[in-house]
Amino acid sequence: MVKIRMRRTGCKNHATYRIVAADERSPRDGKFLEILGWYDTAIKENNFKLDLARVDYWISKGAKPSTTVASLIRRTRNPNLKPHHATPAKKAEAKKEA
């Protein structure tokens, strides 16, 4: 089965990732089928890029994206969507509701 996941590149203490389509049996940084985009943790804004046409192609062939890549796909399709971060205020509200 094919997975759409991140492959670590970059140097020590500065991780960058390539978003790839790979066989699920291959190791994280091992062989892959195609590079679909990139993700850089050091950049604050516009820190990733995806080729949605190729992502949709692989999903149509049965590929399953990882949870992180699925989040990036949602953010690419809806640019107004912000990454989900649990702030202390939100945690306090959640405790009050429970």
Side-chain angles (χ1 to χ4, degrees), residues 54-87:
R54 296 305 295 168
V55 168
D56 290 338
Y57 167 79
W58 281 108
I59 290 174
S60 73
K61 295 296 181 186
K64 300 287 183 191
S66 68
T67 55
T68 305
V69 173
S71 170
L72 294 175
I73 292 169
R74 279 193 303 275
R75 285 175 53 196
T76 301
R77 291 197 170 126
N78 186 359
N80 297 327
L81 200 65
K82 298 290 182 190
H84 176 71
H85 297 292
T87 62

Side-chain angles (χ1 to χ4, degrees), residues 1 4-6 11 17-18 22 24 28 30 32 39 41 47-48 50 53 55-56 59-60 71 77-78 83 86 89-90:
M1 172 178 245
I4 301 174
R5 63 183 183 202
M6 296 199 297
C11 57
Y17 297 92
R18 288 190 181 140
E24 69 180 354
R28 179 193 70 185
F32 59 91
Y39 174 65
T41 58
N47 60 350
F48 71 96
L50 276 174
V55 168
D56 290 338
I59 290 174
S60 73
S71 170
R77 291 197 170 126
N78 186 359
K90 288 182 183 178

Side-chain angles (χ1 to χ4, degrees), residues 7-72:
R7 178 178 200 258
R8 186 184 164 116
T9 59
C11 57
K12 188 174 176 181
N13 296 326
H14 181 77
T16 59
Y17 297 92
R18 288 190 181 140
I19 300 164
V20 298
D23 189 298
E24 69 180 354
R25 296 170 293 182
S26 66
R28 179 193 70 185
D29 298 337
K31 292 173 74 172
F32 59 91
L33 302 169
E34 183 179 1
I35 297 174
L36 304 173
W38 56 268
Y39 174 65
D40 191 350
T41 58
I43 302 172
K44 296 288 184 197
E45 302 264 334
N46 298 327
N47 60 350
F48 71 96
K49 182 161 177 63
L50 276 174
D51 183 358
L52 278 181
R54 296 305 295 168
V55 168
D56 290 338
Y57 167 79
W58 281 108
I59 290 174
S60 73
K61 295 296 181 186
K64 300 287 183 191
S66 68
T67 55
T68 305
V69 173
S71 170
L72 294 175

